[in-house]
Amino acid sequence: MSLRAALRHTVVMVVAGLVVSTPPPRPPVATPRPDLLALTQDYWHWKTQDYPQFATQVGINDNTAGRLDSYALTHFQRRKAKCEEFLQRAYDVDAALLSPEDLIDLKVLKEEMITYIDNFPYKKYFAPVTFMAGPQNDFKRMVQKQMVLVSYNDYQKLLSRYGEFPRQAQEILVLMKTNIENDLMPSNWSMVGVVEQLDNVGGRVEDSVFYKPFIHMPSTITAEQRFTLRQQAQERIKQDLLPSFKKIRDFLVTQYLPATRSEVGVSSLPGGEDYYRACLKFHTSTNLTPQEIHSLGLTEVARVEAAVQKTAAEIGMAGKTFSEIGQALKDDPAQNFTSKKDLLEYVRNTIYNVIFPRVQEMFPSLPPTNLTVVGDDNPQAIFAKYAGPSMDGSRLGSFILSTYSYELRKKYEVMAVSLHEALPGHHLYTTYRTRNPSTPNFRKYIDFTFTTNAPARFPLHTVLSEGWALYSEFLGDELGLYKDPYQKMGRHSFELLRASRLVVDTGMHALGWSRDKAVTFLLDHTALSIGSIQGEINRYITWPGQACAYKVGEIKIKELRQKAQNALGSLFRLSDFHDEMLGCIGPLKIVEECITNYIEQTNLVIEKGAEEKREDEKTERSDKKGSESREHKDGNGVGGKAGVLSASGGSGCALCPGASVVVVAMCWLARLPGVSAHPI
Ligand SMILES: *[C@@H]1O[C@H](CO)[C@@H](O)[C@H](O)[C@H]1NC(C)=O
Ligand SMILES: *[C@@H]1O[C@H](CO)[C@@H](O)[C@H](O)[C@H]1NC(C)=O
Ligand SMILES: *[C@@H]1O[C@H](CO)[C@@H](O)[C@H](O)[C@H]1NC(C)=O
């Protein structure tokens, strides 16, 4: 239950408690929920034990930190059996006895199991090595960014993982061989740059990224231990890691790459149409068909292009196409950054001094966790992404910007990107998710390892996280944060990209579009450079359906907001709606239930409040002993608040700061997942 929900709950209880004169039939009292609690805890325990790399991602440093995930086909089968067991247990929980919040937890858990079980057959489409996934990325990131390396024992766990790598590499090779046999190969475009990535982890032992943690070790480790650890590391890297990476590389070059598909769409695969629909369902959590998403994309592109024309008129460019306008913006030297430092300072100023104060007004119960803005000098770094903080809060959430190509970044892009990646986008979403101690861990922490194996995996809730981030770009409009026509163009540019993605993703995967046709569409309708477009398109080819989640989610969030606004009228408060949205993690249909509960409970509070008021007035009129009724009224402290809520709510003042009934700014340390990269 969110803090606000908890408060509301109290309001209902207090008000209800005052109407005792005619005791209503009492609803079933929320019982302790031992079976549900045991189920969610067992599921969490199993998941972190069975996916040790996920455990490391969220910052758990127990026995799991010495092990690696299994990619064995037989193991996938065991996982499915386990999910069936959990699902059965979920069905056995008596839903009628649960509070609305517990019921939502139960439903989300069922959905997770059903997602895994129903999509299990699609595991045959797993491509464990592409330019977006594979040990050359994941294993490396885990070592560099996620492992806790403080004690001698921690280092032993790392070495134990190195020792396990040949086993995992062998399982990956089997999966790849199976792909060739089953004729379920990824597109050749999904393999661009993979050999280079693999070459980069090879080379001399001492230069290897896997030896880096052993060069500078914390002072808790004695000189003698350092000596031993370094020797062991050299052995493991030389005997286990590098030869295994080389095996994967050689297999790729000699057998896998020559067997890749030259088509781009997954519809060219046997069973590919169903597979694509399952991907769309996984990422959007809707049953929208490819054609429906495609049409939605075209409509959105046209709508945003009309907005572009309005903004263009402000800078004397009416009638130009978006790519012409984009070119003019890119050529404007005033929009350039002069150095990496200039770029980072500009972004930090935007986030800390321009966005933060406004977001704080809009989100009165904003969790007080800061984030860092860091530059990434790696030539392959993507333009911008967000990585969540570690579970104990020792590592802050970070907005990571590619500084390598700072000359290509433009000032007009910064506002939209910052709203998306930082505040109120991914950082706020991630922070809110974990703010409530009664939210079970399985809902708080999402497994971001090997994300491209969708849909045969546990949910990523892409539609919610990316929908929220895109909705955050829209909130920038409402907050008046796009200060000049250039920043507005930056906003349009990113929105056009997300709308265009619906068109090209479905185009390539379901409607027979060629890669060139998709490239041309992005060239015509976005301001991206050809280089960025090539990278974007390869990503859509490799991760079918993911890119459709942003727009679908944003549209749904706006729709739910409208629904709440219509249902609550002057009682609608934007900050309440946001609290509710951010507190409810799950598929869209469950988020919709949360919003429905919120509408019903708000109405209930108000009705009870009004009823109570009428009762009071009646009493006051008929009762000569006025003091008694006043006592009665005073006792209705919280109910009185409900009156305040109704009086100050909405009234066209959706953005009014500080008007929420929730005045609780709880001090807590975010306990958040580890690096969870959200691409823009
Ligand atoms: C993929 O295959 C097609 C058809 O052979 C070819 O035109 C294209 O250049 C290939 N792409 C890459 C990245 O090799
Ligand atoms: C601004 O950046 C563009 C590249 O985006 C470059 O072509 C142009 O020369 C730069 N202008 C100045 C004045 O640095
Ligand atoms: C967040 O951190 C930045 C950088 O350290 C700092 O400038 C800023 O004031 C901090 N913001 C808050 C609200 O603490």
Side-chain angles (χ1 to χ4, degrees):
M1 192 185 311
S2 71
L3 291 175
R4 217 176 46 74
L7 180 57
R8 197 169 51 232
H9 195 61
T10 318
V11 172
V12 176
M13 300 310 269
V14 171
V15 176
L18 287 166
V19 204
V20 283
S21 41
T22 48
R26 289 201 88 67
V29 179
T31 53
R33 22 158 233 179
D35 47 358
L36 178 62
L37 192 65
L39 174 57
T40 58
Q41 285 177 348
D42 290 352
Y43 168 45
W44 175 251
H45 179 74
W46 168 77
K47 196 167 167 182
T48 53
Q49 288 291 320
D50 202 71
Y51 295 84
Q53 292 175 241
F54 162 57
T56 301
Q57 175 217 296
V58 302
I60 295 171
N61 182 27
D62 59 10
N63 65 322
T64 54
R67 296 190 283 114
L68 294 177
D69 288 9
S70 171
Y71 285 74
L73 291 165
T74 49
H75 198 91
F76 293 144
Q77 194 68 45
R78 280 205 289 281
R79 284 179 183 146
K80 174 167 169 265
K82 198 72 196 171
C83 288
E84 284 163 345
E85 190 189 311
F86 286 131
L87 184 60
Q88 189 51 55
R89 280 177 64 185
Y91 284 133
D92 290 344
V93 172
D94 190 348
L97 295 176
L98 299 178
S99 68
E101 286 77 16
D102 287 349
L103 190 58
I104 296 282
D105 286 345
L106 180 67
K107 286 183 180 177
V108 175
L109 189 130
K110 282 182 187 164
E111 280 296 321
E112 287 216 18
M113 298 307 126
I114 291 170
T115 301
Y116 195 96
I117 296 164
D118 282 359
N119 288 323
F120 186 71
Y122 298 113
K123 73 178 187 317
K124 60 186 187 202
Y125 296 89
F126 278 179
V129 181
T130 63
F131 81 95
M132 297 186 68
Q136 81 284 7
N137 295 328
D138 303 344
F139 191 88
K140 194 172 107 182
R141 181 171 55 238
M142 182 188 72
V143 174
Q144 287 180 318
K145 304 254 160 82
Q146 301 176 345
M147 291 282 300
V148 176
L149 294 172
V150 176
S151 67
Y152 178 76
N153 194 25
D154 292 339
Y155 274 91
Q156 286 299 335
K157 290 180 203 164
L158 181 60
L159 289 170
S160 157
R161 280 191 153 154
Y162 287 179
E164 269 205 39
F165 187 66
R167 188 263 302 160
Q168 194 187 54
Q170 187 54 37
E171 290 165 354
I172 287 172
L173 281 169
V174 170
L175 280 185
M176 293 205 288
K177 283 179 188 152
T178 314
N179 277 353
I180 300 179
E181 281 160 24
N182 292 348
D183 201 15
L184 290 175
M185 291 297 290
S187 167
N188 60 349
W189 294 100
S190 298
M191 306 305 288
V192 173
V194 173
V195 175
E196 290 81 351
Q197 290 175 351
L198 279 158
D199 285 343
N200 286 343
V201 297
R204 267 165 33 95
V205 171
E206 289 79 2
D207 303 334
S208 139
V209 289
F210 304 115
Y211 191 67
K212 280 238 169 70
F214 295 88
I215 296 175
H216 301 290
M217 288 188 259
S219 54
T220 46
I221 297 170
T222 66
E224 206 177 319
Q225 286 171 333
R226 285 170 201 220
F227 180 78
T228 317
L229 287 173
R230 285 186 186 131
Q231 264 194 332
Q232 289 172 331
Q234 292 196 4
E235 237 171 70
R236 292 279 71 77
I237 295 168
K238 198 166 152 197
Q239 289 171 20
D240 296 330
L241 282 185
L242 297 185
S244 298
F245 274 108
K246 185 159 188 314
K247 258 193 214 162
I248 294 175
R249 184 203 183 277
D250 291 348
F251 175 76
L252 268 175
V253 172
T254 58
Q255 297 181 54
Y256 201 69
L257 294 184
T260 48
R261 252 177 327 131
S262 53
E263 295 94 340
V264 291
V266 291
S267 56
S268 64
L269 291 166
E273 278 176 33
D274 284 347
Y275 168 57
Y276 184 53
R277 277 175 186 256
C279 291
L280 284 179
K281 183 167 184 188
F282 179 89
H283 286 295
T284 69
S285 82
T286 68
N287 289 317
L288 291 171
T289 64
Q291 185 59 58
E292 283 169 333
I293 292 181
H294 190 79
S295 307
L296 181 62
L298 289 170
T299 310
E300 279 292 291
V301 168
R303 184 186 63 77
V304 181
E305 283 180 343
V308 166
Q309 284 309 320
K310 273 176 80 181
T311 310
E314 293 177 37
I315 45 174
M317 292 197 72
K320 303 259 195 260
T321 69
F322 193 71
S323 53
E324 286 166 339
I325 297 169
Q327 197 52 52
L329 294 187
K330 278 184 250 183
D331 291 345
D332 181 351
Q335 298 294 328
N336 284 12
F337 293 105
T338 53
S339 65
K340 291 172 187 180
K341 189 160 164 272
D342 183 29
L343 167 66
L344 284 172
E345 275 172 8
Y346 188 88
V347 174
R348 286 185 182 130
N349 182 54
T350 302
I351 291 178
Y352 299 136
N353 301 329
V354 184
I355 298 178
F356 182 76
R358 300 304 315 283
V359 165
Q360 207 175 18
E361 291 166 13
M362 194 183 226
F363 294 84
S365 43
L366 180 72
T369 47
N370 211 342
L371 79 162
T372 59
V373 177
V374 291
D376 185 345
D377 246 353
N378 181 345
Q380 293 187 336
I382 63 168
F383 166 38
K385 66 181 180 205
Y386 173 76
S390 62
M391 205 171 176
D392 62 2
S394 58
R395 186 179 60 231
L396 290 179
S398 41
F399 174 21
I400 305 158
L401 266 172
S402 164
T403 35
Y404 177 77
S405 51
Y406 73 90
E407 301 103 322
L408 299 178
R409 306 275 65 96
K410 299 290 161 183
K411 288 184 179 159
Y412 59 80
E413 295 172 329
V414 167
M415 182 53 73
V417 175
S418 303
L419 291 164
H420 181 105
E421 298 292 342
L423 287 169
H426 289 313
H427 182 62
L428 190 58
Y429 173 87
T430 308
T431 315
Y432 251 78
R433 202 165 70 209
T434 50
R435 66 198 313 236
N436 180 0
S438 71
T439 301
N441 278 335
F442 87 88
R443 286 184 74 192
K444 286 183 186 166
Y445 305 112
I446 292 162
D447 178 3
F448 287 104
T449 63
F450 197 9
T451 45
T452 51
N453 62 356
R457 55 163 293 128
F458 292 114
L460 291 163
H461 304 307
T462 324
V463 72
L464 203 56
S465 62
E466 297 301 351
W468 175 263
L470 182 53
Y471 171 77
S472 297
E473 293 175 41
F474 156 77
L475 290 180
D477 278 334
E478 298 199 319
L479 288 166
L481 284 168
Y482 302 106
K483 291 266 190 297
D484 58 40
Y486 295 94
Q487 294 188 348
K488 279 185 204 156
M489 282 297 182
R491 149 105 177 106
H492 296 322
S493 161
F494 283 116
E495 194 177 16
L496 274 175
L497 171 65
R498 274 52 157 273
S500 300
R501 283 172 175 172
L502 304 188
V503 179
V504 298
D505 197 281
T506 52
M508 287 191 295
H509 288 301
L511 306 174
W513 280 36
S514 68
R515 188 175 183 282
D516 282 349
K517 189 167 174 185
V519 168
T520 305
F521 190 90
L522 290 193
L523 273 176
D524 288 348
H525 295 281
T526 74
L528 294 186
S529 68
I530 181 70
S532 306
I533 288 177
Q534 299 282 359
E536 284 279 322
I537 296 284
N538 290 347
R539 167 181 151 191
Y540 312 151
I541 291 171
T542 309
W543 208 5
Q546 192 271 349
C548 298
Y550 300 64
K551 245 304 156 199
V552 171
E554 180 225 25
I555 290 172
K556 187 69 187 182
I557 293 170
K558 285 183 179 169
E559 188 188 304
L560 290 175
R561 173 172 154 175
Q562 193 60 53
K563 182 179 164 183
Q565 215 158 351
N566 293 347
L568 294 173
S570 64
L571 306 178
F572 176 80
R573 300 165 58 88
L574 189 61
S575 58
D576 291 355
F577 170 77
H578 285 155
D579 274 357
E580 219 47 60
M581 273 301 309
L582 288 165
C584 186
I585 308 294
L588 286 181
K589 64 178 179 192
I590 289 178
V591 173
E592 188 150 16
E593 270 189 56
C594 292
I595 298 302
T596 305
N597 285 349
Y598 147 69
I599 293 171
E600 279 170 6
Q601 290 184 32
T602 306
N603 273 328
L604 182 67
V605 170
I606 302 312
E607 277 162 27
K608 291 280 186 192
E611 195 178 299
E612 182 56 27
K613 205 162 160 247
R614 279 195 300 276
E615 284 288 312
D616 284 352
E617 281 162 7
K618 246 193 294 180
T619 320
E620 250 169 68
R621 273 199 307 273
S622 63
D623 196 344
K624 309 270 178 284
K625 288 180 228 155
S627 61
E628 207 178 290
S629 73
R630 198 158 303 116
E631 231 172 79
H632 188 170
K633 213 174 171 184
D634 289 345
N636 188 8
V638 190
K641 262 233 164 108
V644 173
L645 171 92
S646 67
S648 69
S651 57
C653 190
L655 303 184
C656 271
S660 170
V661 284
V662 176
V663 283
V664 197
M666 277 202 31
C667 219
W668 53 277
L669 247 188
R671 301 181 62 78
L672 295 166
V675 177
S676 55
H678 293 274
I680 182 117

